[in-house]
Amino acid sequence: MNKDGHSEKVLTLADVKTGEYGVIVRITGHGSFRHRLMEMGFVRGEKVKVIRNAPLHDPIEYEIMGGHVSLRRIEANRVEVVPVTEEVANNYLFHGTVTEETERILGKVGKTINVALVGNPNCGKTSFFNHATGMREKVGNYSGVTVDSKLGYFKFKDYTIALADLPGTYSLTEYTPEELYVRQYIMEQHPDIVLNIADASNLERNLFLTTQLIDMNVPMVMALNMYDELEKNGDKLDLDTLSELFGFPIVPTVSSKGIGIQEVMAKIVDLYENLEQHTKHIHINYGVDLEKSIDLIKEEMKEHLDLSGAYSTRYLAIEMLAGDKVISNLVGKFDDDGSVGKVADEQRAIIEKRYNEDAATIVSGAKYGFIRGALLETFTQGKDRSKQPAYSVDKLLTNRWLGFPILIFFLWFMFQMTFTLGAYPQAWLESFFGWLGDVITRVMPDGMVKDLLVDGVIAGVGGVCSFLPNILILFFFISVLEDTGYMARAAFIMDKLMHRMGLHGKSFIPYIIGFGCSVPAIMATRTLENRKDRILTIITVPFMSCSARLPVYLLLISAFFTKHQGLILTSIYLLGIIMAVVTSLIVKRVAFKNVRDQFVMELPPYRIPTFRNAVIHMWDKSVQYLKKMGSVILVATVIIWALEYFPHRGPELDRYTEQIERVGEDKTLTEAEKSTQIAQLELDRSACQIENSYIGRFGKFVAPVFRPLGFDWQMGVSLITGFAAKEIVVSSMGVLYHSDAEADENSSALQKSLQNHTWSSGPDIGKPVFTPWVAFGFMVFILLYFPCVAALTAIKREAGTGWMLFNIFYTTGVAWLAAFAIRLLSTLAVGC
């Protein structure tokens, strides 16, 4: 208790001890259960006293509003209270309204409204979330962007709104992870309000999910989104009548522009405070036969009070009648003698025999009958939909002959612009970090700290940071493709080709996301209903070249390919797609024989992308990239630098130091001659230092594995450090390759170092290590070998340990063979 005699910690009534008091915050139970308790006086702000427990500690007797009520412990667990002392309770009076005294006692805990955001894919749900909360969640115009719930908090009036953005789903059945997740969240978390986002331009299909929420009997507000498109079509909708028919408030919104969001929040607060007049619970009429079966199942459930207190028995009865196995298993936990399940099976058999159709189809048909009836009374269609321009562009973009070349052109244009436009800010950042290194070199005294900052942090992290503009440009183009609706068309175009090679057309979407980052791409495979499709896509997504690999490509392409740079970069990405297809074809024939699937995917209408969404997407990725540089990449860079720096003393190194001192004291040499010899000796000492360092010894140990590919030990070490994050490959190269010349205005120091680096031993001693062929082979290896630890963790979580291990060994083997083939080809072509 605080000094005022009450606690801001929320407990449930079941936690309050005998003789103690509490003030009610909220009831978290189900709709009918909540109403029953509220009728008995359990309302927000009312005080309640625990009188006694029954001999077996269940039920519990409470005093409220001068009367005595008993609740079972499971019911009391759904009533949240703030404990208060007896003195505060005796002086506290509640007159049915929340006064300043009540607010003082409840504090912040009674002022939070938990809202679950539920809607179909493409309905603008996440865009609504971003506008409402100010958070920057990814917005995409295709199914599967949101694969987990995201929680945002914001203030509205005197309340804190906790808004949970749940995965987009067409239904609340048992067939996809999204459907199960959303249903489980609503049934177990008991949000105060469900905010149903519906696409106004596609009402009939969107309202199917709404009917399921009505069956669940949850407090609900609807945001009828994209209402401007409905009006643009000349359609008319009687919102007041539709609200009366459905039993909850409906607010028109345009979430992409932030229109109507404040009005929706006002309705939520009104509903929470029981001020909304249009709120009432309705039952969808499923017809005489189905209603009779539903009632019989409900009657059998009445004996199971634990069940009825937590869930809507009508909803459970409907789902059991439809044959939902997950709901049947849930009810089975309370159904000790199996009587409820038996009645449900009997009634399902009767219904299916009578209608000669499965019960789930009959229930779905009744829902659509209810929807069509409501729209007949409230909706008037305007223009002829067949003449709408929303899909007319498909005649060109999905044309049998032009669709694929246009897709290739868009991909090439995206990569070319990434390289061309990003070159300018990249050069500015390289100049900045070069200047910063020079300043530190001049200001700080020689020593380990200066070497760490200049050769470790700035050379490593600075080299990666300079590629940030290119990554932002890449994500900008991906965001535009997603928001316009073209991404779904890409899946449509690719389906036939990918289907013949063992993949699903929908797999193309995770592949495109994989160009940004493999982790969300792997998670996006949850939208694929078939396990075979999910596994094949998961294990091949790492072949899509993520943005973390882009800095390596840009570094090597800039250094060794002066012409056709966009074409070289595009070929790398296309090679990843080809390897993904080949891998999928092989694995399908080995592990998934005779498994077939169907292609079903929504093609949303084309929409003009908003500049705000594109900027939000770019900002998000820049923050993630900078956070990674400030954590994983920085730590890894420092570790690599330390392994390269130590041991810093030794006989050979001391000899170089003595030679440098002798040259400096030699009076027979001119200053220019001294500078030249000292520079060469320092370069030789640096090379000796690296070769004898810990990382040099490790690199020489693994060098035989990479030597057949034309890679030196520094390249091998850089590849191994990429296990933590692929950006670290550039950091490692920045640390391991030291420049012996100042960078000119057209080339960074690291690029010059790579161009001038030669073999220090072996048959190729004195020859350049890097040639265009070697650089291309190195990029191919970077593309194909195992992904970063975060992506491997995602593979393990989504597909299992076995497939993760398969991915590690298979991708690395393929990468080695591909790089070796390029080396052989270069030998045959140019003899190098």
Side-chain angles (χ1 to χ4, degrees), residues 98-173:
V98 179
T99 62
E100 292 183 5
E101 173 67 10
T102 304
E103 295 293 1
R104 183 183 67 81
I105 292 174
L106 295 180
K108 296 179 180 180
V109 297
K111 301 293 289 183
T112 299
I113 306 176
N114 297 305
V115 180
L117 202 56
V118 180
N120 284 194
N122 308 315
C123 69
K125 179 174 57 63
T126 305
S127 182
F128 185 101
F129 177 85
N130 289 338
H131 265 286
T133 64
M135 293 180 68
R136 301 175 177 87
E137 295 301 336
K138 177 67 188 77
V139 180
N141 190 25
Y142 57 89
S143 172
V145 175
T146 309
V147 293
D148 284 310
S149 65
K150 300 172 180 66
L151 192 61
Y153 294 88
F154 62 97
K155 291 287 186 179
F156 186 81
K157 294 186 178 180
D158 295 330
Y159 290 93
T160 296
I161 308 293
L163 191 60
D165 181 21
L166 302 182
T169 178
Y170 295 107
S171 179
L172 296 179
T173 53

Side-chain angles (χ1 to χ4, degrees), residues 402-416:
L402 299 177
F404 195 77
I406 290 174
L407 173 62
I408 295 296
F409 169 77
F410 280 154
L411 294 177
W412 169 83
F413 181 78
M414 177 172 67
F415 299 136
Q416 183 67 43

Side-chain angles (χ1 to χ4, degrees), residues 549-812:
R549 295 176 169 102
L550 185 60
V552 185
Y553 305 153
L554 297 179
L555 170 67
L556 296 176
I557 290 174
S558 299
F560 300 101
F561 298 92
T562 57
K563 297 180 179 179
H564 310 298
Q565 293 176 330
L567 183 61
I568 295 294
L569 187 59
T570 303
S571 69
I572 293 290
Y573 281 77
L574 288 178
L575 177 61
I577 296 174
I578 292 170
M579 287 307 305
V581 171
V582 171
T583 299
S584 177
L585 186 60
I586 294 172
V587 175
K588 179 189 176 185
R589 291 186 174 180
V590 173
F592 298 101
K593 291 182 179 179
N594 302 319
V595 178
R596 298 185 177 274
D597 60 287
Q598 301 296 323
F599 180 82
V600 179
M601 183 173 182
E602 178 187 6
L603 293 178
Y606 289 99
R607 296 190 174 100
I608 298 175
T610 63
F611 180 75
R612 181 180 184 275
N613 283 347
V615 170
I616 285 175
H617 194 192
M618 293 172 63
W619 171 252
D620 283 349
K621 296 307 174 184
S622 66
V623 170
Q624 294 175 18
Y625 193 70
L626 292 171
K627 284 181 178 178
K628 186 184 288 188
M629 283 190 293
S631 55
V632 176
I633 295 175
L634 177 60
V635 172
T637 299
V638 171
I639 292 173
I640 293 166
W641 172 86
L643 293 174
E644 181 263 347
Y645 189 81
F646 296 104
H648 201 60
R649 299 294 299 272
E652 292 185 64
L653 297 175
D654 291 341
R655 282 198 294 270
Y656 278 114
T657 303
E658 292 172 2
Q659 290 181 44
I660 291 171
E661 291 176 353
R662 284 199 299 268
V663 170
E665 296 172 356
D666 192 343
K667 297 181 180 180
T668 63
L669 300 175
T670 65
E671 291 299 321
E673 291 173 334
K674 286 182 180 180
S675 298
T676 302
Q677 292 187 29
I678 289 174
Q680 184 61 46
L681 286 170
E682 288 179 342
L683 186 63
D684 293 340
R685 186 187 188 283
S686 177
C688 180
Q689 158 67 33
I690 294 174
E691 288 192 27
N692 290 281
S693 66
Y694 295 126
I695 202 168
R697 297 171 189 175
F698 174 73
K700 290 180 179 179
F701 175 75
V702 299
V705 176
F706 296 101
R707 187 63 182 85
L709 312 181
F711 302 169
D712 63 359
W713 67 264
Q714 291 98 323
M715 297 167 72
V717 170
S718 299
L719 289 170
I720 293 171
T721 59
F723 176 73
K726 289 299 176 281
E727 297 96 335
I728 296 175
V729 173
V730 173
S731 299
S732 301
M733 297 176 76
V735 172
L736 297 174
Y737 291 100
H738 293 279
S739 175
D740 62 344
E742 295 295 326
D744 59 36
E745 62 182 3
N746 296 317
S747 178
S748 70
L750 180 55
Q751 290 174 7
K752 288 290 290 183
S753 180
L754 297 180
Q755 291 167 349
N756 297 330
H757 192 68
T758 58
W759 289 100
S760 59
S761 62
D764 297 325
I765 187 170
K767 293 183 180 180
V769 173
F770 283 92
T771 65
W773 284 97
V774 171
F776 190 77
F778 190 69
M779 288 189 290
V780 168
F781 199 101
I782 289 288
L783 166 73
L784 299 178
Y785 84 126
F786 58 78
C788 67
V789 64
L792 289 173
T793 302
I795 293 173
K796 178 181 178 182
R797 184 172 60 245
E798 299 296 327
T801 303
W803 287 112
M804 180 194 71
L805 294 175
F806 168 81
N807 190 269
I808 292 174
F809 292 107
Y810 174 78
T811 55
T812 306

Side-chain angles (χ1 to χ4, degrees), residues 363-573:
V363 171
S364 297
K367 289 180 184 295
Y368 275 115
F370 170 80
I371 293 169
R372 289 163 187 152
L375 292 180
L376 280 174
E377 293 189 37
T378 59
F379 180 74
T380 303
Q381 185 170 304
K383 301 176 182 177
D384 182 1
R385 296 298 174 89
S386 63
K387 298 179 180 179
Q388 283 186 349
Y391 296 92
S392 59
V393 185
D394 280 336
K395 295 179 181 179
L396 175 65
L397 297 183
T398 61
N399 181 272
R400 179 180 179 183
W401 304 109
L402 299 177
F404 195 77
I406 290 174
L407 173 62
I408 295 296
F409 169 77
F410 280 154
L411 294 177
W412 169 83
F413 181 78
M414 177 172 67
F415 299 136
Q416 183 67 43
M417 290 298 99
T418 296
F419 190 91
T420 304
L421 297 180
Y424 300 101
Q426 179 188 355
W428 301 335
L429 285 173
E430 287 174 349
S431 299
F432 168 75
F433 285 109
W435 169 82
L436 183 61
D438 291 340
V439 170
I440 293 176
T441 300
R442 290 195 304 267
V443 173
M444 291 188 66
D446 292 338
M448 185 175 69
V449 176
K450 185 177 84 170
D451 291 341
L452 170 62
L453 291 176
V454 176
D455 298 328
V457 176
I458 293 177
V461 177
V464 177
C465 188
S466 64
F467 295 102
L468 177 62
N470 306 89
I471 290 172
L472 293 180
I473 293 171
L474 175 64
F475 275 107
F476 172 82
F477 280 103
I478 291 177
S479 178
V480 170
L481 292 178
E482 292 169 351
D483 293 345
T484 56
Y486 183 72
M487 197 71 83
R489 272 70 184 182
F492 175 79
I493 293 168
M494 295 295 295
D495 178 64
K496 187 172 183 179
L497 176 63
M498 299 183 77
H499 181 71
R500 288 181 176 178
M501 298 180 181
L503 286 169
H504 194 290
K506 284 186 179 180
S507 299
F508 195 68
I509 290 175
Y511 282 176
I512 295 295
I513 299 174
F515 289 149
C517 180
S518 295
V519 175
I522 291 168
M523 296 175 68
T525 60
R526 297 179 187 178
T527 60
L528 297 167
E529 293 83 0
N530 186 285
R531 181 177 180 273
K532 181 265 295 182
D533 296 325
R534 287 199 299 272
I535 296 297
L536 291 179
T537 306
I538 285 170
I539 63 175
T540 53
V541 156
F543 287 125
M544 301 302 104
S545 190
C546 66
S547 61
R549 295 176 169 102
L550 185 60
V552 185
Y553 305 153
L554 297 179
L555 170 67
L556 296 176
I557 290 174
S558 299
F560 300 101
F561 298 92
T562 57
K563 297 180 179 179
H564 310 298
Q565 293 176 330
L567 183 61
I568 295 294
L569 187 59
T570 303
S571 69
I572 293 290
Y573 281 77

